Amino acid sequence: MKKVILGIIIGILSLVLIISLGLSFLYMKDVNYSKEQKFNKDKDSPKYHLMVISNDINTLSGETFLKGLNDASHKMKVALEINDVKKEDINEQLDYINIAIASKVDGIILQVTDNEKIKEAINHAVDMGVPVVTVFEDVPASKRQSYVGSNSFEIGEKAGKLVSDAIDNKGEIAIILDNIQENDYLETSKNLILSGFKDITNKYDEMEIKKVEESKLGLLGAEDIISKIINSYPNISAIFCSSVKDTIGVAQVIVDLNKVGDISIVGYGDSEEVLKYIEKHVIDASIVDNPYDIGYKSIDAILEVITKGTTSSFYDTGVNIITNDNIDDYTNKRQKSEGDES
């Protein structure tokens, strides 16, 4: 009888071990270490282990962000665990934050959407002793220790200047602001972008903002919105979009309506579609963050929290402007960054 019981116990323990190893394997499959995250165990063993959670890796901007992370982490002997998440999938973002907390990483670099649940997860991480730095998009109401990214007011100013230059300081303007997720940060960011834009356009009596719309449906939403705007305001001469999807959607409508050259577009982002439209002179200019600096500085910021207990609450990394005149230089730099990583 004792042998039977012992056999059952051994069987149960073996099953538990197999399941544990299987789960560990599945978890390891989701861990994406950069090619530059190779350390000599004897000489260069990493001092800290950080988790990066990003929703914009698969763009030129995202690749350059990773290059900044990799360069900084290699120099500072930091191991990175990089996870790509969908911008609209809050639950996936929460899962990775919870994994980071459970794994007891030394810090989290977070590019996610501001949301009440995300805020609570960040607060929980900080309360558990895991510092958090947000990048590209902030969650200001949370306990995050720092935000590394661009200044929304400056984005608005740059956009206003680009639009005014495109239409020689006179004409009717439409603005489409991204509102795919309603939250306090985006509301504040939208207001700052609009304020910065108006700060430029208000200088010119012959420039008028005829319509400001918010897009919640991305590509299709932007197409529908801009079609209605053009029908209602046939004299619109320029459009500014604050998101990548809206920029692409508006460009497609302008092409379909044969309005290329009649309506100027100032957009946002550096996706392949946006760059192609710039090359074809459909989009006049696009504003992008400085992703390399964001990646590099985010490592700096989180290490300051880990080693000193504090850091600046905001690091302004500025923005870049892409036009037909400098697009070759811009893409060449990005390709060089990719080549350096291989």
Side-chain angles (χ1 to χ4, degrees):
M1 183 67 179
K2 289 181 179 179
K3 288 182 179 180
V4 173
I5 294 172
L6 182 61
I8 293 171
I9 292 171
I10 291 172
I12 292 172
L13 289 175
S14 299
L15 182 61
V16 170
L17 179 61
I18 291 169
I19 292 171
S20 298
L21 289 172
L23 290 173
S24 297
F25 175 72
L26 288 173
Y27 173 71
M28 289 297 291
K29 280 174 61 179
D30 283 335
V31 175
N32 298 316
Y33 287 99
S34 153
K35 291 179 180 179
E36 293 194 33
Q37 295 307 304
K38 294 179 180 178
F39 296 92
N40 183 305
K41 289 185 179 180
D42 297 325
K43 289 184 178 181
D44 300 316
S45 181
K47 295 178 180 178
Y48 304 105
H49 176 201
L50 306 178
M51 182 179 282
V52 179
I53 304 170
S54 173
N55 61 27
D56 190 34
I57 289 176
N58 298 315
T59 63
L60 286 175
S61 179
E63 290 161 2
T64 309
F65 169 59
L66 291 182
K67 180 67 167 62
L69 286 169
N70 289 332
D71 285 354
S73 61
H74 185 75
K75 180 179 178 180
M76 301 173 199
K77 298 181 182 179
V78 172
L80 294 181
E81 182 177 321
I82 299 169
N83 298 284
D84 185 18
V85 296
K86 297 179 182 66
K87 185 173 184 177
E88 65 277 7
D89 194 338
I90 299 297
N91 289 329
E92 184 184 27
Q93 297 168 23
L94 289 169
D95 286 343
Y96 276 110
I97 295 172
N98 290 327
I99 288 172
I101 297 169
S103 302
K104 297 182 180 179
V105 296
D106 296 300
I108 303 171
I109 295 172
L110 198 59
Q111 180 194 6
V112 294
T113 304
D114 185 10
N115 172 279
E116 186 63 29
K117 291 182 179 179
I118 294 291
K119 182 188 79 173
E120 291 174 0
I122 291 173
N123 291 348
H124 179 53
V126 175
D127 289 342
M128 294 296 290
V130 182
V132 177
V133 168
T134 54
V135 293
F136 292 100
E137 296 181 36
D138 197 10
V139 188
S142 71
K143 294 180 181 180
R144 61 89 176 129
Q145 280 91 344
S146 183
Y147 164 61
V148 182
S150 55
N151 181 312
S152 296
F153 187 85
E154 182 188 5
I155 291 174
E157 281 188 317
K158 296 283 188 186
K161 183 68 168 61
L162 289 166
V163 166
S164 64
D165 288 346
I167 61 177
D168 296 325
N169 307 327
K170 56 186 177 184
E172 297 180 358
I173 305 162
I175 298 174
I176 301 179
L177 299 173
D178 182 28
N179 195 25
I180 194 167
Q181 294 278 351
E182 293 186 10
N183 56 66
D184 292 340
Y185 169 69
L186 280 182
E187 196 62 37
T188 301
S189 179
K190 284 184 299 183
N191 290 337
L192 287 170
I193 289 172
L194 195 55
S195 295
F197 194 96
K198 289 179 177 179
D199 197 53
I200 299 298
T201 57
N202 286 345
K203 296 176 182 179
Y204 305 103
D205 293 336
E206 295 185 74
M207 288 182 69
E208 183 182 3
I209 300 172
K210 297 295 289 187
K211 190 69 174 176
V212 178
E213 284 281 3
E214 295 184 0
S215 171
K216 295 184 180 180
L217 301 175
L219 193 62
L220 295 176
E223 290 179 350
D224 185 51
I225 288 169
I226 199 58
S227 296
K228 290 178 179 178
I229 288 175
I230 291 173
N231 286 333
S232 300
Y233 305 95
N235 294 323
I236 288 289
S237 53
I239 302 163
F240 165 57
C241 305
S242 70
S243 74
V244 176
K245 286 184 178 180
D246 290 345
T247 300
I248 296 168
V250 167
Q252 288 179 353
V253 170
I254 295 305
V255 170
D256 292 343
L257 295 178
N258 198 27
K259 293 283 187 179
V260 176
D262 296 330
I263 298 178
S264 298
I265 302 173
V266 172
Y268 190 88
D270 66 349
S271 70
E272 292 295 337
E273 295 96 329
V274 170
L275 296 179
K276 285 177 183 177
Y277 279 127
I278 292 174
E279 287 178 338
K280 295 177 180 179
H281 297 277
V282 177
I283 295 174
D284 291 66
S286 187
I287 300 169
V288 293
D289 295 295
N290 275 312
Y292 181 89
D293 292 346
I294 292 174
Y296 200 100
K297 194 62 191 177
S298 65
I299 300 285
D300 261 344
I302 206 156
L303 290 183
E304 280 190 351
V305 178
I306 293 169
T307 59
K308 299 178 182 178
T310 186
T311 189
S312 173
S313 62
F314 173 44
Y315 288 98
D316 185 357
T317 50
V319 294
N320 288 317
I321 307 297
I322 312 172
T323 66
N324 188 268
D325 292 332
N326 70 1
I327 190 170
D328 289 339
D329 288 339
Y330 183 83
T331 53
N332 286 339
K333 286 179 182 177
R334 294 297 176 262
Q335 288 167 358
K336 184 178 183 301
S337 294
E338 292 177 53
D340 289 343
E341 287 183 280
S342 58

